[in-house]
Amino acid sequence: MGDAAVEEIFRRFQAANPAPVSDLRYTNTYTLLVAVVLSAQATDRGVNLATGPLFKVADSPEKMLALGEDRVRHFIRTIGLFNTKAKNVIALSRILIEEHSGEVPATLDALQVLPGVGAKTASVVLNVAFGVPRIAVDTHIFRVANRIPLAVAATTDKVQTTLEARVPASYLLHAHHWLILHGRYVCKARKPDCPSCRISDLCRYPAKTV
C-alpha cells in the first residue's frame, strides 16, 4: 500500500472522528495508568465496571496504598487475573510515591519498570496522558494493521515500529485510538463489517464481507 493510500485512510478516520478518546474511563493520569494495567486480558467495559467504584475512593497513589491490597482485590475481583493485578496496583502506587513524588513519570523507561506495566501500557499512557505520538499495538490494531494492510508483521513490536514509521506525522497522535476503534467496532475479528467500512475501497483484505 502506497503512502498516498495510507494518508487517505487516516484523513477519513480524522474526518469521521476528529478527537477520538479511549473507551476506558479515568479521572487523571494515575487512574489512566491503573485502568490500562487492569485492562490486560480484560474488556474495557469490564474494567470500567470495576474501576468506577474503585476510583471514587482511590484516585491517587496515596489513597490506593491506604486502601490496601485486600480491598483493591475486592473492587477488581470481576476482572481476570485480579489477584496479580491488585498486587501490581499496590506495588506501582508505592513506587510512584517513593520515587516519583506520587506523580506518573512521563518517560518510557520509567514507566516500564513499574509492576504490571509493559511496553503497550507505557505507550498508551505516554500517548493519552502526555501527548507522545506512539501507537500501542493491541489485538485490534495488530489485526487491522495486517488486514488492510498497513503493517505486515508477526509481532506487535514490529507492527508498532512499522506503523509509527508509516503513519503521517499529522495523524500520529490519534492513530492509536482510530485503529483500535476501527478494529473494535468495524473491522471485527470474526466478521468484519465491510459494507459500513469507510476505507473499504482502500483495504486489500481478500476475505471482505458483503
Side-chain angles (χ1 to χ4, degrees):
M1 177 172 288
D3 292 343
V6 173
E7 182 158 6
E8 176 61 15
I9 285 170
F10 287 95
R11 186 198 67 77
R12 293 184 193 180
F13 284 155
Q14 182 183 62
N17 188 0
V21 296
S22 171
D23 281 345
L24 286 173
R25 297 172 190 162
Y26 58 93
T27 59
N28 54 34
T29 304
Y30 172 71
T31 55
L32 169 66
L33 171 63
V34 172
V36 180
V37 167
L38 296 179
S39 71
Q41 300 182 46
T43 65
D44 286 359
R45 181 178 181 277
V47 171
N48 290 337
L49 288 173
T51 56
L54 173 62
F55 291 158
K56 286 182 180 179
V57 296
D59 61 356
S60 70
E62 294 81 6
K63 291 178 182 178
M64 195 71 74
L65 205 58
L67 196 62
E69 186 179 321
D70 286 344
R71 290 199 65 196
V72 171
R73 185 183 299 111
H74 174 77
F75 276 105
I76 68 170
R77 65 191 183 281
T78 56
I79 300 175
L81 306 175
F82 66 91
N83 284 313
T84 298
K85 290 177 179 179
K87 291 179 181 178
N88 286 338
V89 168
I90 291 298
L92 71 82
S93 298
R94 182 175 290 109
I95 292 173
L96 291 179
I97 294 169
E98 294 176 351
E99 300 183 15
H100 301 284
S101 302
E103 301 295 324
V104 176
T107 67
L108 185 67
D109 290 343
L111 284 168
Q112 286 193 127
V113 300
L114 297 174
V117 178
K120 183 172 77 68
T121 297
S123 290
V124 171
V125 173
L126 288 174
N127 178 253
V128 176
F130 300 108
V132 179
R134 294 184 66 86
I135 301 177
V137 178
D138 69 349
T139 56
H140 296 298
I141 293 182
F142 184 81
R143 179 178 67 253
V144 169
N146 276 283
R147 269 182 180 174
I148 292 176
L150 292 169
V152 178
T155 68
T156 56
D157 288 345
K158 289 181 179 179
V159 168
Q160 178 172 351
T161 299
T162 303
L163 286 175
E164 289 177 354
R166 294 207 71 196
V167 175
S170 58
Y171 300 113
L172 195 52
L173 179 61
H174 293 311
H176 165 77
H177 283 122
W178 284 323
L179 291 171
I180 282 182
L181 295 173
H182 186 65
R184 182 172 291 159
Y185 299 112
V186 181
C187 195
K188 294 173 281 191
R190 293 187 179 180
K191 188 178 180 181
D193 188 8
C194 299
S196 68
C197 176
R198 60 178 46 90
I199 62 167
S200 182
D201 59 313
L202 299 171
C203 175
R204 297 179 183 173
Y205 183 50
K208 291 181 182 177
T209 59
V210 294

